[in-house]
Amino acid sequence: MINFLALFTFYVFTYFLGRGALLIFSKIKVLNITVIDENKNLFSVPINVFYPIIGFFVIGNLSILFNFFVSLGSVFTYGMFIFLFLGNFLKKMNIKIQIQEFYLFLVTLPILSVSSYLTGLSYDAGLYHLNYQNWLQDEKIILGLSNFHARLGYSSIYEFINVNFWQGNNHLIQHFVNLTFIAFFFTVMHYVYYNSKNLSVRIGILGILVFGLLDNFGFAGGKNGFIEIEGVTKYDTPFGIIFFLIVMFTSIHYLEKRTNDEELVLLLIFTLFSIQMRVTGVLLLILVLPILFKKNIVRSIKTNSLIIIFGISNILKNLFTTGCMYFPIEFTCFDYFNWYKSGFAETERNSISFALRSFDFSKPFGEWFQIWTEKYEYNLPTLKNFVFSLLILAILRILLTRENTFSMVKVLYFLFNFFMFIYWIFTAPSFRYGIGLFLSFIYFGSFFTPKSPRYSYIINKNLFMFLMFITILLLPRIDNYFQLLSDPFKLTTIEARKVDYIEKEFGFGVSPKDHNEICMVNKYCSPVYSNNTKFKVNKYGYKYFELKN
């Protein structure tokens, strides 16, 4: 109960941060949103549903911008929050409460909050996420930070969001960031299903919910690639959600052949947000750029200058911290910078590819597949469960569909999904990196039109509500519900464990005393296998890491 009240408060807080941000930036004409009306629909979804996610987008980007000049401690955070919150006074709210809002506050948020009982810090939180956020809290941008620990080069915008929600050593609020994305996902599904006039889109969403339900059954517990409640600081699900929603929104555009200016702004925000989370987001431009050119790309850039500023600052941040526009892609790197050594990014990319067992033609496909399935115990069961889910949906399609008419949209998205699947195999064939892709597969694999009125029950709203309720209910691990029953008024704490450190024998900093790679929050810590570095200050007062020869 207390966890729910805390999550509810956080959700409302981010709602008003996002609303204030939109009002401020549209007022000064750096975003092409002419009217902020809570009841205006974008892709069949009221604009106010997007406020929390837009709030995260703006918080993260303002943090990136200001970190060029100051550290992101509590003074900065409170100042930014006050500034964005005051934007709400620029326009009186005009909102009509609908059933979807009641569902969000009375079903989705309470159920998701239950996960707070047993969700802990992710492995990567201790490896580099909390470590990196500690640098952000204490220092303005550090040049060549990836030299100190290569993982620090993967500086997603998510770090710049989460750093603003530290509560001492309790990281519960950072868990709420992830839960807000999940609540947002289901709310969007709810609205699109209820409001869309396109039958294929609505049935595609039903397919997503069936996929989510099947996630709980099958081999090794049933994991099939659906969204999940992850350990704190991980952002695979948030990225997968943004990725899939861009795919779905662009499909709505191509099916309905229309996009207004506000919808274009939303696509641009989400596309940049996805790129800032993970470089894979760049590939979404394949879907978005044709819409942008159709709407007059020059005008769109001029009227949305804030997005351009945020995009440029993100690239500069990458260059300063890694020497690369997009780490670890070698051809985007410049050894002109004294903190970058040619080949460093390529070495890191090869290391990650080897760890994930990416396909590279060095072995026959069958031999590679055997190695890949043996790398992690969940690889093969998850693949089996995904294929099983596809088969279930295929059977439903055979039973319920009529003859399909040719659709160029379906063909184009099939090709896009196929391309993304090949990209996934060659770069990072881990299921947590493919959530958005698998959702897209299921969404388009479910497209069909019922063959007679007697099958109309499949687009019944009561069926949709039932499927969504069960899918949400089964997202938290069952053990969380037992914890809720045993202590319903507990406010959870999610703390970083204590680590003992020793001075490095060579180079700057410390390493874990037990020779583990988990540093937790100590910003001066990196694993013992990290590079041998010097920590210096340049003539402009910026600190930087330089590789020792």
Side-chain angles (χ1 to χ4, degrees):
M1 178 63 72
I2 302 300
N3 286 332
F4 162 61
L5 292 176
L7 175 58
F8 174 81
T9 302
F10 178 76
Y11 189 93
V12 172
F13 177 68
T14 56
Y15 176 100
F16 283 108
L17 289 181
R19 182 178 186 271
L22 275 183
L23 286 168
I24 290 170
F25 294 125
S26 62
K27 183 74 172 179
I28 60 179
K29 300 187 184 307
V30 291
L31 276 182
N32 189 23
I33 299 180
T34 54
V35 179
I36 304 295
D37 180 355
E38 274 71 33
N39 301 299
K40 181 180 179 64
N41 283 356
L42 305 181
F43 297 108
S44 302
V45 182
I47 190 173
N48 66 306
V49 171
F50 298 98
Y51 287 166
I53 306 305
I54 291 173
F56 291 146
F57 173 76
V58 172
I59 288 168
N61 276 290
L62 288 180
S63 298
I64 290 173
L65 271 172
F66 279 89
N67 190 232
F68 286 107
F69 312 104
V70 296
S71 62
L72 304 180
S74 57
V75 173
F76 166 80
T77 296
Y78 293 143
M80 177 176 59
F81 286 167
I82 292 170
F83 168 70
L84 295 177
F85 189 80
L86 289 175
N88 287 280
F89 294 100
L90 292 173
K91 188 178 186 296
K92 184 179 178 180
M93 286 189 67
N94 175 31
I95 184 171
K96 298 175 184 176
I97 301 296
Q98 302 182 44
I99 188 174
Q100 285 87 343
E101 276 81 18
F102 282 111
Y103 202 92
L104 170 68
F105 296 129
L106 298 180
V107 177
T108 307
L109 289 179
I111 290 175
L112 293 179
S113 70
V114 175
S115 69
S116 303
Y117 278 94
L118 295 178
T119 300
L121 292 170
S122 67
Y123 184 86
D124 285 351
L127 179 60
Y128 69 100
H129 288 306
L130 296 179
N131 180 297
Y132 185 79
Q133 291 170 33
N134 208 4
W135 278 107
L136 296 179
Q137 282 190 324
D138 294 344
E139 305 281 355
K140 61 185 177 183
I141 193 167
I142 303 293
L143 311 182
L145 187 57
S146 60
N147 288 332
F148 183 52
H149 183 191
R151 291 296 182 91
L152 298 177
Y154 300 93
S155 50
S156 161
I157 189 176
Y158 221 69
E159 315 291 5
F160 289 84
I161 296 170
N162 276 340
V163 70
N164 293 288
F165 297 113
W166 277 49
Q167 298 292 316
N169 192 34
N170 185 6
H171 300 279
L172 176 65
I173 304 300
Q174 295 189 6
H175 178 52
F176 289 168
V177 175
N178 277 26
L179 295 186
T180 300
F181 273 92
I182 295 173
F184 164 71
F185 171 76
F186 284 109
T187 305
V188 169
M189 295 296 101
H190 204 156
Y191 272 109
V192 174
Y193 183 83
Y194 268 64
N195 296 338
S196 177
K197 296 179 176 60
N198 191 293
L199 194 57
S200 292
V201 170
R202 296 175 67 189
I203 294 176
I205 290 173
L206 278 180
I208 293 290
L209 294 183
V210 172
F211 183 53
L213 183 62
L214 293 172
D215 184 57
N216 301 281
F217 307 97
F219 300 96
K223 176 181 169 66
N224 66 0
F226 189 64
I227 65 172
E228 57 187 79
I229 297 175
E230 303 174 289
V232 178
T233 73
K234 288 180 74 172
Y235 53 92
D236 305 308
T237 286
F239 174 77
I241 287 170
I242 296 298
F243 182 98
F244 168 69
L245 290 182
I246 293 172
V247 170
M248 185 177 73
F249 290 154
T250 55
S251 76
I252 291 173
H253 162 80
Y254 291 119
L255 287 167
E256 300 181 1
K257 296 180 172 56
R258 58 113 186 109
T259 301
N260 60 40
D261 287 342
E262 285 82 5
E263 288 174 338
L264 179 61
V265 172
L266 181 68
L267 281 178
L268 292 175
I269 287 174
F270 273 32
T271 303
L272 177 58
F273 203 5
S274 70
I275 294 170
Q276 292 177 310
M277 281 193 198
R278 195 160 281 160
V279 67
T280 305
V282 171
L283 299 177
L284 288 164
L285 291 172
I286 296 171
L287 304 177
V288 175
L289 280 179
I291 301 174
L292 193 59
F293 279 107
K294 187 176 180 181
K295 296 289 289 187
N296 189 329
I297 188 169
V298 175
R299 176 179 173 274
S300 298
I301 291 173
K302 286 182 178 179
T303 55
N304 294 290
S305 56
L306 182 70
I307 297 174
I308 303 302
I309 292 170
F310 284 169
I312 292 173
S313 67
N314 186 70
I315 291 174
L316 289 175
K317 178 265 296 180
N318 293 341
L319 285 170
F320 284 9
T321 55
T322 69
C324 307
M325 295 173 66
Y326 293 105
F327 186 82
I329 303 176
E330 183 67 36
F331 73 82
T332 70
C333 305
F334 302 89
D335 54 13
Y336 165 82
F337 301 110
N338 62 357
W339 57 83
Y340 183 74
K341 183 178 180 180
S342 181
F344 178 66
E346 183 66 16
T347 299
E348 174 63 15
R349 188 191 69 80
N350 290 337
S351 173
I352 296 297
S353 293
F354 176 77
L356 297 175
R357 300 301 189 263
S358 301
F359 182 65
D360 62 359
F361 291 114
S362 63
K363 297 178 178 66
F365 185 85
E367 183 180 343
W368 165 81
F369 182 76
Q370 181 69 27
I371 294 171
W372 177 78
T373 57
E374 294 173 352
K375 172 58 180 175
Y376 296 109
E377 62 181 13
Y378 54 79
N379 275 356
L380 186 57
T382 305
L383 179 62
K384 288 179 179 179
N385 291 330
F386 177 70
V387 173
F388 174 74
S389 299
L390 281 177
L391 289 175
I392 293 293
L393 289 166
I395 292 170
L396 290 174
R397 182 175 183 136
I398 292 170
L399 292 175
L400 302 175
T401 189
R402 65 184 180 190
E403 289 186 15
N404 277 321
T405 56
F406 176 79
S407 170
M408 183 58 71
V409 172
K410 294 178 186 178
V411 172
L412 290 176
Y413 277 90
F414 171 80
L415 293 175
F416 174 76
N417 284 335
F418 180 74
F419 167 74
M420 289 302 305
F421 179 70
I422 298 299
Y423 173 84
W424 178 73
I425 287 178
F426 276 88
T427 56
S430 170
F431 280 93
R432 69 188 185 99
Y433 294 133
I435 292 172
L437 171 62
F438 303 132
L439 290 175
S440 181
F441 264 119
I442 296 298
Y443 173 70
F444 287 104
S446 304
F447 264 36
F448 65 84
T449 305
K451 62 182 176 182
S452 75
R454 68 190 180 93
Y455 291 109
S456 62
Y457 64 84
I458 66 173
I459 53 170
N460 183 284
K461 291 182 179 180
N462 291 329
L463 173 63
F464 172 83
M465 295 288 283
F466 173 76
L467 281 174
M468 189 159 84
F469 173 74
I470 297 299
T471 300
I472 296 171
L473 187 68
L474 294 175
L475 267 180
R477 288 169 48 195
I478 298 299
D479 291 349
N480 285 285
Y481 292 104
F482 291 114
Q483 288 290 323
L484 172 65
L485 292 174
S486 66
D487 195 355
F489 298 104
K490 176 184 178 182
L491 179 63
T492 303
T493 58
I494 302 175
E495 298 180 346
R497 65 177 173 83
K498 186 177 182 297
V499 176
D500 294 322
Y501 306 96
I502 56 173
E503 292 288 333
K504 284 189 173 182
E505 185 175 353
F506 302 101
F508 175 83
V510 298
S511 293
K513 189 174 182 179
D514 60 2
H515 301 291
N516 196 304
E517 63 179 356
I518 300 301
C519 285
M520 285 298 172
V521 298
N522 189 337
K523 69 181 183 183
Y524 296 123
C525 175
S526 64
V528 68
Y529 58 74
S530 296
N531 295 311
N532 189 356
T533 58
K534 298 176 182 178
F535 194 39
K536 298 181 176 181
V537 181
N538 67 18
K539 63 181 180 181
Y540 302 107
Y542 283 88
K543 299 176 182 178
Y544 68 98
F545 280 98
E546 184 178 80
L547 290 173
K548 281 188 175 181
N549 294 326

